[in-house]
Amino acid sequence: MAHKTAAIAVLIISLIVGGYLIYLGYTTTGGQARGAGGTPFNQTTTTATPKLKGEKKTYTLPLLPGEKLYYTNAYYPLHSNKPASNSTYWIQITDVDWPFIVGTYQLTGQNRTGVARMAVGNLAIPKELLGSSSVTLPIVVPAIGSGLCAGLSLEGRGNYTMGNKTIPVLIYGSSMNLTGTRLLVKLYYEASSGLLVKANFTIILGGKAGMSIVQSLINASKGGTLRVSTPDTWICKPYLASDLRFQAEGTLLIQGLRASPVPAGKVREVSLGDGIVLVILKDGQEVTQEFWRNILAASAQCPSARIYAIVVGGLTDNITISLAKNILERSVASEQTVLIRFQDGKAVDKVYRYGSYREILNLLCGRPSTGGRT
């Protein structure tokens, strides 16, 4: 635990901008964003075969390219009222590539600029969802830089003071347990537009160590709204996302495009007996993303298949990481991302991330595969 606490302290000191300005590997997700005139800002395709069936939706965001947002971020050690670090910066919107809002940023008082890729939920809630009693949004946890589709509940209404203005807000919150890591989220969205004006993220590791990150809007130049279309492969619900960057971490049971948390001991039990185990890293590589989409597509075709997954990323605790390493070692896996069928505690079939959709489908449906490519 001391090692994990020290790592968090380093993150607090080093991540000046706050974790919203992130780069998560590949930059295209199959999304399409359109301006007011209907012209695509960005258009990409997916190579998964068959195509994962999601639900395409069109949303209205309170942002337009060219607008600027000014923020402060503060980092607090758990149970402390004194920030360990804080910063002020602005972000200028340039594009939308769902589930990201793309822009440029600059730290106040510093000649430091760069590309900002911010999850939609970290800046706004679509107008179509504003006021709903429960919503699910793609968000990225600041400092950790790990994303998830967060199930948020409307907790009430309030006011936020920005300069000499008082802004009515809707308050959304969530509490999630991610196998050893607890994440508390409270987001304050402007009631009239859906723009995020304040956010509070608290990360608790093992019930003891952790930190809180508070983001506050101090000024904004707003000029309109933007219509945005999600990819038709888009799935975003608690504990399951079609985009691996927003897949919840920890130990999960995935079956027929449904996911639910399970104890780490259950995954270990399956690996020592009969069943299917997936170990997958949120490494930001497109080949891993495609592997994940193929697994979900195959899961929909084989709904009886039970996949016990270990999803590893920045929010994963050391015990879960150790379990993943142990399973990889016992299965003599040559890569860290692999789908494994166990029989009597022995790995009898494996498909690595370069394996084909057909090999994944065969493993899930109980037919021998060729073992994938290593």
Side-chain angles (χ1 to χ4, degrees):
M1 183 61 67
H3 172 75
K4 197 74 171 182
T5 305
I8 286 180
V10 171
L11 283 169
I12 292 175
I13 294 169
S14 64
L15 288 172
I16 300 174
V17 178
Y20 292 104
L21 315 180
I22 60 169
Y23 176 72
L24 290 172
Y26 49 91
T27 58
T28 59
T29 61
Q32 184 174 1
R34 293 182 179 271
T39 302
F41 286 118
N42 197 355
Q43 185 173 359
T44 60
T45 58
T46 176
T47 58
T49 303
K51 194 173 185 180
L52 180 64
K53 292 182 180 179
E55 186 176 359
K56 188 180 184 71
K57 293 184 177 180
T58 300
Y59 292 124
T60 306
L61 295 178
L63 298 163
L64 277 179
E67 295 175 358
K68 275 189 177 182
L69 306 172
Y70 295 80
Y71 289 101
T72 61
N73 270 5
Y75 297 84
Y76 298 84
L78 197 61
H79 308 307
S80 173
N81 294 322
K82 183 178 180 180
S85 176
N86 56 63
S87 61
T88 303
Y89 59 94
W90 58 257
I91 302 166
Q92 185 168 27
I93 308 302
T94 59
D95 201 352
V96 176
D97 181 20
W98 189 276
F100 291 106
I101 296 169
V102 186
T104 57
Y105 75 89
Q106 181 172 327
L107 291 172
T108 303
Q110 298 185 35
N111 188 24
R112 177 179 173 181
T113 62
V115 175
R117 293 181 58 79
M118 301 145 289
V120 167
N122 290 100
L123 285 186
I125 181 173
K127 191 171 183 178
E128 291 77 8
L129 303 178
L130 188 61
S132 299
S133 60
S134 61
V135 299
T136 304
L137 291 176
I139 63 170
V140 167
V141 181
I144 302 300
S146 186
L148 74 159
C149 282
L152 303 166
S153 298
L154 180 61
E155 297 183 348
R157 296 175 178 266
N159 292 303
Y160 177 79
T161 302
M162 186 174 67
N164 59 358
K165 296 187 298 183
T166 298
I167 301 172
V169 296
L170 298 179
I171 305 168
Y172 282 88
S174 182
S175 175
M176 291 159 278
N177 291 310
L178 305 172
T179 317
T181 301
R182 189 179 180 202
L183 176 64
L184 306 176
V185 179
K186 196 171 290 287
L187 304 172
Y188 301 75
Y189 294 102
E190 185 178 17
S192 61
S193 69
L195 185 69
L196 183 74
V197 297
K198 184 178 179 181
N200 191 322
F201 293 84
T202 299
I203 304 160
I204 305 172
L205 301 162
K208 297 179 181 178
M211 67 175 179
S212 292
I213 308 101
V214 179
Q215 175 199 21
S216 301
L217 183 69
I218 56 176
N219 200 2
S221 63
K222 298 185 294 180
T225 59
L226 177 68
R227 296 283 286 172
V228 179
S229 293
T230 70
D232 53 11
T233 58
W234 179 249
I235 299 171
C236 186
K237 52 189 177 182
Y239 298 107
L240 187 68
S242 54
D243 189 323
L244 181 60
R245 293 170 294 186
F246 293 93
Q247 173 57 40
E249 295 169 25
T251 48
L252 305 159
L253 170 61
I254 299 171
Q255 185 175 12
L257 288 183
R258 295 180 181 273
S260 57
V262 294
K266 178 61 179 178
V267 182
R268 175 176 171 78
E269 177 186 324
V270 171
S271 73
L272 293 172
D274 299 335
I276 299 169
V277 175
L278 167 68
V279 178
I280 190 164
L281 306 186
K282 293 168 69 172
D283 59 9
Q285 296 188 36
E286 174 58 32
V287 65
T288 313
Q289 164 76 310
E290 185 174 335
F291 181 63
W292 174 250
R293 287 192 299 255
N294 283 339
I295 286 174
L296 294 184
S299 173
Q301 293 298 314
C302 271
S304 62
R306 299 167 67 88
I307 307 168
Y308 290 88
I310 306 175
V311 182
V312 179
L315 286 168
T316 310
D317 69 302
N318 289 333
I319 293 176
T320 305
I321 292 173
S322 296
L323 172 62
K325 289 181 177 178
N326 176 263
I327 289 174
L328 292 171
E329 289 171 0
R330 288 195 296 105
S331 64
V332 197
S334 59
E335 284 194 5
Q336 294 179 317
T337 292
V338 58
L339 184 68
I340 312 163
R341 176 178 287 279
F342 285 95
Q343 186 174 322
D344 295 328
K346 296 181 180 180
V348 295
D349 201 1
K350 294 193 289 283
V351 178
Y352 294 99
R353 59 183 180 152
Y354 290 98
S356 68
Y357 168 79
R358 180 58 55 184
E359 290 168 332
I360 294 170
L361 187 66
N362 286 343
L363 189 150
L364 294 187
C365 295
R367 298 187 292 269
S369 80
T370 59
R373 289 182 285 172
T374 60

Coordinates of all heavy atoms in Angstrom, one line a residue, residues 104-178:
T104 N -7.0 22.5 -27.7 CA -5.6 22.8 -27.3 C -5.7 23.4 -25.9 O -6.7 24.0 -25.5 CB -5.0 23.8 -28.3 OG1 -5.8 25.0 -28.3 CG2 -4.8 23.2 -29.6
Y105 N -4.6 23.4 -25.2 CA -4.6 23.9 -23.8 C -3.3 24.7 -23.6 O -2.3 24.6 -24.3 CB -4.7 22.8 -22.7 CG -3.4 22.0 -22.5 CD1 -2.4 22.5 -21.6 CD2 -3.1 20.9 -23.3 CE1 -1.3 21.8 -21.4 CE2 -1.9 20.2 -23.1 CZ -1.0 20.6 -22.2 OH 0.2 20.0 -22.0
Q106 N -3.4 25.6 -22.6 CA -2.2 26.3 -22.2 C -2.3 26.6 -20.7 O -3.4 27.0 -20.2 CB -2.0 27.7 -22.9 CG -0.8 28.4 -22.5 CD -0.5 29.6 -23.3 OE1 -0.8 29.7 -24.5 NE2 0.0 30.7 -22.7
L107 N -1.2 26.3 -20.0 CA -1.2 26.6 -18.5 C -1.0 28.1 -18.3 O -0.1 28.7 -19.0 CB 0.0 25.8 -17.9 CG -0.2 24.3 -17.8 CD1 1.1 23.7 -17.3 CD2 -1.3 23.9 -16.9
T108 N -1.7 28.6 -17.4 CA -1.6 30.1 -17.1 C -0.2 30.4 -16.6 O 0.3 29.8 -15.7 CB -2.7 30.5 -16.1 OG1 -4.0 30.1 -16.6 CG2 -2.6 32.0 -15.8
G109 N 0.4 31.4 -17.2 CA 1.7 31.9 -16.7 C 2.8 31.0 -17.2 O 4.0 31.3 -16.9
Q110 N 2.6 30.1 -18.1 CA 3.6 29.2 -18.6 C 3.5 29.1 -20.1 O 2.4 29.1 -20.7 CB 3.6 27.8 -18.0 CG 3.8 27.7 -16.5 CD 3.8 26.3 -16.0 OE1 4.3 25.4 -16.7 NE2 3.3 26.1 -14.8
N111 N 4.6 29.0 -20.8 CA 4.6 28.9 -22.2 C 4.5 27.4 -22.6 O 5.4 26.8 -23.2 CB 5.8 29.5 -22.8 CG 5.8 29.5 -24.4 OD1 4.7 29.4 -25.0 ND2 7.0 29.5 -25.0
R112 N 3.5 26.7 -22.1 CA 3.3 25.3 -22.3 C 1.9 25.0 -22.9 O 0.9 25.3 -22.3 CB 3.4 24.6 -20.9 CG 3.2 23.1 -21.0 CD 3.4 22.4 -19.7 NE 3.0 21.0 -19.7 CZ 3.0 20.2 -18.6 NH1 3.4 20.7 -17.5 NH2 2.6 19.0 -18.7
T113 N 1.9 24.5 -24.1 CA 0.7 24.2 -24.8 C 0.7 22.8 -25.3 O 1.8 22.2 -25.4 CB 0.4 25.2 -26.0 OG1 1.5 25.0 -26.9 CG2 0.4 26.6 -25.5
G114 N -0.4 22.3 -25.7 CA -0.4 20.9 -26.2 C -1.8 20.5 -26.7 O -2.8 21.3 -26.6
V115 N -2.0 19.3 -27.1 CA -3.3 18.8 -27.6 C -4.0 18.2 -26.3 O -3.5 17.5 -25.6 CB -3.1 17.7 -28.6 CG1 -4.5 17.1 -29.0 CG2 -2.4 18.3 -29.9
A116 N -5.3 18.6 -26.2 CA -6.1 18.1 -25.1 C -7.2 17.2 -25.7 O -7.9 17.6 -26.7 CB -6.8 19.3 -24.4
R117 N -7.3 16.0 -25.2 CA -8.3 15.0 -25.5 C -9.1 14.7 -24.3 O -8.6 14.0 -23.4 CB -7.7 13.8 -26.2 CG -7.0 14.0 -27.5 CD -6.5 12.7 -28.1 NE -7.5 11.7 -28.3 CZ -8.4 11.7 -29.3 NH1 -8.4 12.7 -30.2 NH2 -9.3 10.7 -29.4
M118 N -10.3 15.3 -24.2 CA -11.1 15.2 -23.0 C -12.3 14.4 -23.2 O -13.0 14.6 -24.2 CB -11.5 16.6 -22.5 CG -10.2 17.5 -22.3 SD -10.5 19.2 -22.7 CE -10.6 19.1 -24.5
A119 N -12.6 13.5 -22.3 CA -13.9 12.7 -22.4 C -15.1 13.6 -22.3 O -15.0 14.6 -21.6 CB -13.9 11.7 -21.3
V120 N -16.1 13.3 -23.1 CA -17.3 14.2 -23.1 C -17.8 14.5 -21.8 O -18.1 15.7 -21.4 CB -18.4 13.5 -24.0 CG1 -19.7 14.2 -23.8 CG2 -18.0 13.5 -25.5
G121 N -17.9 13.5 -20.9 CA -18.5 13.7 -19.6 C -17.7 14.6 -18.7 O -18.2 15.2 -17.7
N122 N -16.4 14.8 -19.0 CA -15.6 15.7 -18.2 C -15.8 17.2 -18.6 O -15.2 18.0 -17.9 CB -14.1 15.4 -18.4 CG -13.7 14.0 -17.8 OD1 -13.6 13.0 -18.4 ND2 -13.5 14.0 -16.5
L123 N -16.5 17.4 -19.6 CA -16.8 18.8 -20.0 C -18.3 19.2 -20.1 O -18.6 20.3 -19.9 CB -16.1 19.1 -21.4 CG -14.6 19.3 -21.4 CD1 -14.1 19.8 -22.7 CD2 -14.2 20.3 -20.3
A124 N -19.1 18.2 -20.4 CA -20.5 18.5 -20.6 C -21.3 17.2 -20.6 O -20.8 16.1 -20.7 CB -20.7 19.2 -22.0
I125 N -22.6 17.4 -20.3 CA -23.6 16.4 -20.5 C -24.5 16.7 -21.6 O -24.9 17.9 -21.8 CB -24.4 16.2 -19.1 CG1 -25.5 15.1 -19.3 CG2 -25.1 17.5 -18.8 CD1 -26.2 14.8 -18.0
P126 N -24.8 15.8 -22.6 CA -25.6 16.1 -23.7 C -27.0 16.7 -23.2 O -27.5 16.2 -22.2 CB -25.8 14.8 -24.4 CG -24.6 14.0 -24.1 CD -24.2 14.4 -22.6
K127 N -27.5 17.6 -24.0 CA -28.7 18.3 -23.6 C -29.9 17.3 -23.5 O -30.8 17.4 -22.7 CB -29.1 19.4 -24.6 CG -30.2 20.3 -24.1 CD -30.3 21.5 -25.1 CE -31.4 22.5 -24.6 NZ -31.5 23.6 -25.5
E128 N -29.8 16.2 -24.3 CA -30.9 15.2 -24.3 C -30.9 14.4 -23.0 O -32.0 13.8 -22.7 CB -30.7 14.3 -25.5 CG -31.0 14.9 -26.9 CD -29.9 15.8 -27.4 OE1 -28.8 15.8 -26.7 OE2 -30.0 16.5 -28.4
L129 N -29.8 14.4 -22.3 CA -29.8 13.6 -21.0 C -29.9 14.5 -19.8 O -30.1 14.0 -18.7 CB -28.4 12.9 -21.0 CG -28.1 11.9 -22.1 CD1 -26.8 11.3 -21.9 CD2 -29.2 10.8 -22.2
L130 N -29.8 15.8 -20.0 CA -29.8 16.7 -18.9 C -31.1 16.7 -18.1 O -32.2 16.8 -18.7 CB -29.5 18.2 -19.4 CG -29.3 19.3 -18.4 CD1 -28.0 19.0 -17.5 CD2 -29.1 20.6 -19.1
G131 N -31.0 16.5 -16.8 CA -32.2 16.4 -16.0 C -32.7 15.0 -15.8 O -33.6 14.8 -15.0
S132 N -32.2 14.0 -16.5 CA -32.6 12.6 -16.3 C -32.2 12.1 -15.0 O -31.1 12.5 -14.4 CB -32.0 11.7 -17.4 OG -32.4 12.1 -18.7
S133 N -33.0 11.2 -14.4 CA -32.7 10.7 -13.0 C -31.4 9.9 -13.0 O -30.7 9.8 -12.0 CB -33.9 10.0 -12.5 OG -34.2 8.8 -13.3
S134 N -31.1 9.2 -14.1 CA -29.9 8.5 -14.2 C -29.3 8.5 -15.6 O -30.1 8.5 -16.6 CB -30.1 7.0 -13.8 OG -31.0 6.4 -14.6
V135 N -28.0 8.7 -15.7 CA -27.4 8.8 -17.0 C -26.1 8.0 -17.0 O -25.5 7.7 -15.9 CB -27.0 10.2 -17.5 CG1 -28.3 11.0 -17.6 CG2 -26.1 10.9 -16.5
T136 N -25.5 7.6 -18.1 CA -24.2 7.0 -18.2 C -23.4 7.8 -19.2 O -23.8 8.0 -20.3 CB -24.3 5.5 -18.7 OG1 -25.2 4.8 -17.8 CG2 -22.9 4.8 -18.6
L137 N -22.2 8.2 -18.7 CA -21.4 9.1 -19.5 C -19.9 8.6 -19.5 O -19.5 8.0 -18.5 CB -21.4 10.5 -19.0 CG -22.6 11.3 -19.1 CD1 -22.5 12.7 -18.3 CD2 -23.0 11.6 -20.5
P138 N -19.3 8.7 -20.7 CA -17.8 8.4 -20.7 C -17.0 9.5 -20.0 O -17.1 10.7 -20.3 CB -17.5 8.4 -22.2 CG -18.5 9.3 -22.8 CD -19.7 9.2 -22.0
I139 N -16.3 9.1 -19.0 CA -15.5 10.1 -18.2 C -14.1 9.5 -18.1 O -13.8 8.3 -18.2 CB -16.0 10.4 -16.8 CG1 -16.1 9.2 -15.9 CG2 -17.4 11.0 -16.9 CD1 -16.4 9.5 -14.5
V140 N -13.1 10.4 -17.8 CA -11.7 10.0 -17.5 C -11.4 10.5 -16.1 O -11.7 11.6 -15.8 CB -10.7 10.6 -18.5 CG1 -9.3 10.4 -18.0 CG2 -10.9 9.9 -19.9
V141 N -10.8 9.6 -15.3 CA -10.5 10.0 -13.9 C -9.2 10.8 -14.0 O -8.2 10.3 -14.4 CB -10.3 8.8 -13.0 CG1 -9.9 9.2 -11.6 CG2 -11.6 7.9 -13.0
P142 N -9.2 12.1 -13.5 CA -8.0 12.9 -13.6 C -6.9 12.3 -12.8 O -7.0 11.5 -11.9 CB -8.5 14.2 -12.9 CG -10.0 14.2 -13.0 CD -10.4 12.8 -12.9
A143 N -5.7 12.6 -13.2 CA -4.4 12.2 -12.6 C -4.1 10.7 -13.0 O -3.0 10.4 -13.4 CB -4.4 12.4 -11.1
I144 N -5.1 9.8 -12.9 CA -4.9 8.4 -13.2 C -5.0 8.3 -14.7 O -4.3 7.4 -15.3 CB -6.0 7.6 -12.6 CG1 -6.0 7.7 -11.0 CG2 -5.8 6.1 -13.0 CD1 -4.7 7.3 -10.4
G145 N -5.8 9.1 -15.4 CA -5.9 9.0 -16.9 C -6.6 7.8 -17.4 O -6.4 7.4 -18.5
S146 N -7.4 7.1 -16.5 CA -8.1 5.9 -16.9 C -9.6 6.3 -17.1 O -10.2 7.0 -16.3 CB -7.9 4.8 -15.9 OG -8.5 3.6 -16.4
G147 N -10.2 5.8 -18.2 CA -11.6 6.1 -18.4 C -12.6 5.0 -18.1 O -12.2 3.8 -17.9
L148 N -13.8 5.3 -18.0 CA -14.9 4.3 -17.7 C -16.2 5.0 -18.1 O -16.4 6.2 -18.2 CB -14.9 3.9 -16.3 CG -15.5 4.8 -15.2 CD1 -15.9 4.0 -14.0 CD2 -14.4 5.8 -14.8
C149 N -17.2 4.1 -18.4 CA -18.6 4.6 -18.5 C -19.2 4.6 -17.2 O -19.5 3.6 -16.6 CB -19.3 3.7 -19.5 SG -18.9 4.0 -21.2
A150 N -19.4 5.8 -16.7 CA -19.9 5.9 -15.3 C -21.4 6.1 -15.2 O -22.0 6.9 -15.9 CB -19.2 7.2 -14.6
G151 N -22.0 5.2 -14.4 CA -23.4 5.4 -14.1 C -23.7 6.5 -13.1 O -23.2 6.3 -12.0
L152 N -24.3 7.5 -13.5 CA -24.5 8.7 -12.6 C -26.0 8.9 -12.2 O -26.9 8.7 -13.1 CB -24.0 10.0 -13.3 CG -22.5 9.9 -13.7 CD1 -22.3 11.1 -14.7 CD2 -21.6 10.0 -12.5
S153 N -26.2 9.2 -11.0 CA -27.6 9.5 -10.5 C -27.8 11.0 -10.2 O -26.8 11.6 -9.6 CB -27.9 8.6 -9.3 OG -27.8 7.3 -9.6
L154 N -28.9 11.5 -10.5 CA -29.2 12.9 -10.2 C -29.4 13.0 -8.7 O -30.4 12.4 -8.1 CB -30.4 13.4 -10.9 CG -30.9 14.9 -10.7 CD1 -29.8 15.8 -11.1 CD2 -32.2 15.1 -11.5
E155 N -28.5 13.8 -8.0 CA -28.6 13.9 -6.5 C -29.3 15.1 -6.0 O -29.6 15.2 -4.9 CB -27.2 13.8 -6.0 CG -26.5 12.4 -6.2 CD -25.1 12.3 -5.6 OE1 -24.6 13.4 -5.1 OE2 -24.6 11.2 -5.6
G156 N -29.5 16.1 -6.9 CA -30.2 17.3 -6.5 C -29.8 18.5 -7.4 O -29.2 18.4 -8.4
R157 N -30.3 19.6 -6.9 CA -30.0 20.9 -7.6 C -29.2 21.8 -6.6 O -29.3 21.6 -5.4 CB -31.3 21.6 -8.0 CG -32.0 20.8 -9.1 CD -33.4 21.5 -9.4 NE -34.1 20.7 -10.5 CZ -34.0 21.0 -11.7 NH1 -33.2 22.1 -12.1 NH2 -34.6 20.3 -12.6
G158 N -28.5 22.8 -7.2 CA -27.8 23.7 -6.3 C -27.4 24.9 -7.1 O -27.9 25.2 -8.2
N159 N -26.4 25.7 -6.6 CA -25.9 26.9 -7.3 C -24.4 26.8 -7.3 O -23.8 26.3 -6.4 CB -26.4 28.1 -6.6 CG -27.9 28.3 -6.7 OD1 -28.4 28.4 -7.8 ND2 -28.6 28.4 -5.6
Y160 N -23.8 27.4 -8.3 CA -22.4 27.5 -8.5 C -22.0 29.0 -8.8 O -22.7 29.6 -9.6 CB -21.9 26.6 -9.6 CG -20.4 26.7 -9.8 CD1 -19.5 26.1 -9.0 CD2 -19.9 27.5 -10.9 CE1 -18.1 26.2 -9.2 CE2 -18.5 27.6 -11.1 CZ -17.6 26.9 -10.3 OH -16.3 27.0 -10.5
T161 N -21.1 29.5 -8.0 CA -20.7 30.9 -8.2 C -19.4 31.0 -9.1 O -18.4 30.4 -8.8 CB -20.4 31.6 -6.9 OG1 -21.6 31.5 -6.0 CG2 -20.0 33.1 -7.1
M162 N -19.6 31.7 -10.2 CA -18.5 31.9 -11.1 C -18.3 33.4 -11.3 O -19.1 34.1 -12.0 CB -18.7 31.2 -12.4 CG -17.5 31.3 -13.4 SD -17.7 30.3 -14.9 CE -19.0 31.2 -15.7
G163 N -17.3 34.0 -10.7 CA -17.1 35.5 -10.7 C -18.2 36.1 -9.9 O -18.4 35.8 -8.8
N164 N -19.0 37.0 -10.6 CA -20.1 37.6 -9.9 C -21.4 37.0 -10.3 O -22.5 37.6 -10.1 CB -20.1 39.1 -10.2 CG -20.2 39.5 -11.7 OD1 -20.2 38.6 -12.5 ND2 -20.2 40.7 -12.0
K165 N -21.4 35.8 -10.9 CA -22.6 35.2 -11.4 C -22.9 33.9 -10.6 O -22.0 33.2 -10.2 CB -22.5 34.8 -12.9 CG -22.3 35.9 -13.8 CD -22.4 35.4 -15.3 CE -21.3 34.5 -15.6 NZ -21.3 34.0 -17.0
T166 N -24.2 33.7 -10.3 CA -24.7 32.5 -9.7 C -25.4 31.7 -10.7 O -26.3 32.1 -11.4 CB -25.6 32.8 -8.5 OG1 -24.9 33.6 -7.5 CG2 -26.1 31.6 -7.9
I167 N -24.9 30.4 -10.8 CA -25.3 29.5 -11.9 C -26.1 28.4 -11.3 O -25.5 27.6 -10.5 CB -24.2 29.0 -12.7 CG1 -23.4 30.2 -13.4 CG2 -24.6 28.1 -13.8 CD1 -22.1 29.7 -14.0
P168 N -27.4 28.2 -11.6 CA -28.1 27.0 -11.2 C -27.5 25.7 -11.8 O -27.1 25.7 -13.0 CB -29.5 27.2 -11.7 CG -29.6 28.7 -12.0 CD -28.3 29.1 -12.4
V169 N -27.3 24.7 -11.0 CA -26.6 23.5 -11.5 C -27.5 22.2 -11.1 O -28.3 22.3 -10.2 CB -25.2 23.3 -10.9 CG1 -24.3 24.4 -11.4 CG2 -25.2 23.3 -9.4
L170 N -27.2 21.2 -11.9 CA -27.7 19.8 -11.5 C -26.6 19.0 -11.1 O -25.5 19.0 -11.7 CB -28.4 19.2 -12.7 CG -29.6 19.9 -13.3 CD1 -30.1 19.1 -14.5 CD2 -30.7 20.0 -12.3
I171 N -26.7 18.3 -10.0 CA -25.6 17.6 -9.3 C -25.8 16.1 -9.6 O -26.8 15.5 -9.2 CB -25.6 17.9 -7.8 CG1 -25.5 19.4 -7.6 CG2 -24.4 17.1 -7.2 CD1 -25.7 19.7 -6.1
Y172 N -24.8 15.5 -10.3 CA -24.9 14.0 -10.5 C -23.7 13.4 -9.8 O -22.6 13.9 -9.7 CB -24.7 13.8 -12.0 CG -26.0 14.0 -12.8 CD1 -26.3 15.2 -13.4 CD2 -26.8 12.9 -13.0 CE1 -27.4 15.4 -14.1 CE2 -28.0 13.1 -13.8 CZ -28.3 14.4 -14.3 OH -29.5 14.6 -15.0
G173 N -24.0 12.2 -9.2 CA -23.0 11.5 -8.5 C -23.0 10.0 -8.7 O -23.9 9.4 -9.2
S174 N -21.9 9.4 -8.3 CA -21.7 7.9 -8.4 C -20.7 7.4 -7.4 O -19.8 8.1 -7.1 CB -21.3 7.5 -9.8 OG -21.3 6.1 -10.0
S175 N -20.9 6.2 -7.0 CA -19.9 5.5 -6.1 C -19.7 4.1 -6.7 O -20.6 3.3 -6.9 CB -20.4 5.4 -4.7 OG -19.5 4.6 -3.9
M176 N -18.5 3.8 -7.2 CA -18.2 2.6 -7.9 C -17.0 1.8 -7.2 O -16.0 2.4 -6.8 CB -17.8 2.9 -9.3 CG -18.9 3.4 -10.2 SD -18.4 4.3 -11.6 CE -18.1 5.9 -10.9
N177 N -17.2 0.5 -7.0 CA -16.1 -0.3 -6.5 C -15.5 -1.1 -7.7 O -16.2 -1.9 -8.3 CB -16.7 -1.3 -5.4 CG -17.1 -0.5 -4.2 OD1 -16.3 0.2 -3.6 ND2 -18.3 -0.8 -3.7
L178 N -14.3 -0.9 -7.9 CA -13.6 -1.5 -9.0 C -12.5 -2.5 -8.5 O -11.3 -2.4 -8.8 CB -12.9 -0.4 -9.9 CG -13.9 0.7 -10.4 CD1 -13.1 1.8 -11.1 CD2 -14.9 0.1 -11.3

